[in-house]
Amino acid sequence: MDLKVVFMIVCLCALAIASTEAGIPKCCVTTKKVIPRRILLKVRRWEMQHSNGACDISALILYVKDMRRPVCAHPKLKNHLVVLQLRKKRRSTI
């Protein structure tokens, strides 16, 4: 096979992996059990990381306003977070 063709195939594969983030999953390695309330009130969105997929541990991934990286929290904090968000919504509608 021509060297140019091999080089082009390698470049296209690298581009496909980089653009879809299919190569390396982003997982929480550790979780925090205590997160200050002021940070929990700034959570824009959250998602669950399950241990049965590509990641080793279950975690609650919090995307916080004005923070570059998401915060990895213990899954038990989900109930506390939901209650705080409901209270926040009630206050904003009143």
Side-chain angles (χ1 to χ4, degrees):
M1 203 185 280
D2 190 25
L3 188 60
K4 291 179 184 178
V5 174
V6 172
F7 179 73
M8 184 59 90
I9 291 172
V10 169
C11 287
L12 289 174
C13 288
L15 180 65
I17 290 172
S19 65
T20 61
E21 296 182 7
I24 302 171
K26 295 179 182 177
C27 298
C28 292
V29 180
T30 61
T31 60
K32 295 181 181 181
K33 290 186 179 181
V34 178
I35 296 178
R37 181 183 169 124
R38 62 181 171 79
I39 291 177
L40 290 176
L41 289 172
K42 293 182 180 181
V43 172
R44 288 186 178 171
R45 66 183 179 94
W46 55 269
E47 59 188 46
M48 287 296 298
Q49 169 184 301
H50 300 285
S51 62
N52 59 358
C55 304
D56 292 336
I57 62 170
S58 294
L60 181 65
I61 304 172
L62 307 175
Y63 297 93
V64 182
K65 181 180 177 182
D66 300 328
M67 291 183 80
R68 289 185 180 180
R69 293 185 178 178
V71 176
C72 297
H74 195 276
K76 288 185 179 181
L77 288 176
K78 179 181 173 184
N79 294 335
H80 187 63
L81 178 66
V82 170
V83 168
L84 281 175
Q85 287 181 337
L86 286 174
R87 286 182 185 169
K88 188 177 172 182
K89 274 187 181 179
R90 286 183 194 159
R91 288 180 186 158
S92 65
T93 58
I94 296 176

